Amino acid sequence: MTGRSNAMIVRREVFIKTEATAEDWAEAHEKTQRALAAMTPEEDAAITADALLDPDNPPIEEDEIEFVGWKEAQFRLKGRTTIRVDRDIVERFQRAGDDWEARINEALRAAAPAE
C-alpha cells in the first residue's frame, strides 16, 4: 500500500432558488402536462382510488385547476386591501427589515378594537 486512502472526497454544491420566475412556472406546468399525458388509464385509476380513500386529499377535477402566480396566491390566502398610510411610517417599517408587511399587520392587529 502506498499510504493513499481509497476514500473519495466528493464536493457538492447546492443552489437553492428562492424565487420562481415565469419561466420556472411555465416549465413546471409543461412537465405536469407531459406527466399527465404519459399516465396510463390503469395508473390514473390507481391514483384516483387511493385519493378517494383519503378524505383530506380528494382528487382535483380538471376544470378546478387554475394556475396563478405566487403573489396572486398570497392575495387569495390573506386577502387584498388597500389603505392609505403615511409614507414616513411605511419607510420606517421597511428600514427595520424585510418582514415589514408582517410587522405592520401585527401592529394593526394589536391596535384593532376587541371583537
Side-chain angles (χ1 to χ4, degrees):
M1 191 117 207
T2 61
R4 296 172 77 185
S5 171
N6 288 335
M8 290 179 54
I9 297 175
V10 177
R11 181 172 178 227
R12 294 185 185 180
E13 292 185 27
V14 177
F15 297 95
I16 299 173
K17 197 168 197 175
T18 57
E19 292 187 26
T21 65
E23 291 81 17
D24 294 332
W25 287 113
E27 181 182 348
H29 180 67
E30 184 180 320
K31 285 181 179 179
T32 301
Q33 293 304 314
R34 281 197 311 263
L36 287 172
M39 186 182 305
T40 66
E42 294 79 16
E43 290 170 326
D44 185 38
I47 291 169
T48 301
D50 287 343
L52 289 171
L53 295 175
D54 183 357
D56 295 326
N57 190 26
I60 298 172
E61 298 299 325
E62 190 69 32
D63 61 342
E64 295 176 309
I65 298 173
E66 179 183 4
F67 290 94
V68 297
W70 176 250
K71 285 188 177 185
E72 180 61 28
Q74 288 292 3
F75 287 139
R76 290 182 185 187
L77 288 172
K78 293 187 173 195
R80 184 183 335 208
T81 303
T82 301
I83 62 171
R84 294 176 193 258
V85 178
D86 292 343
R87 170 57 51 205
D88 65 307
I89 299 296
V90 173
E91 288 171 351
R92 285 168 50 190
F93 274 93
Q94 288 175 330
R95 281 194 302 270
D98 289 337
D99 61 340
W100 64 275
E101 291 171 315
R103 287 183 287 108
I104 287 176
N105 197 45
E106 290 171 15
L108 290 170
R109 188 178 311 282
E115 292 185 37

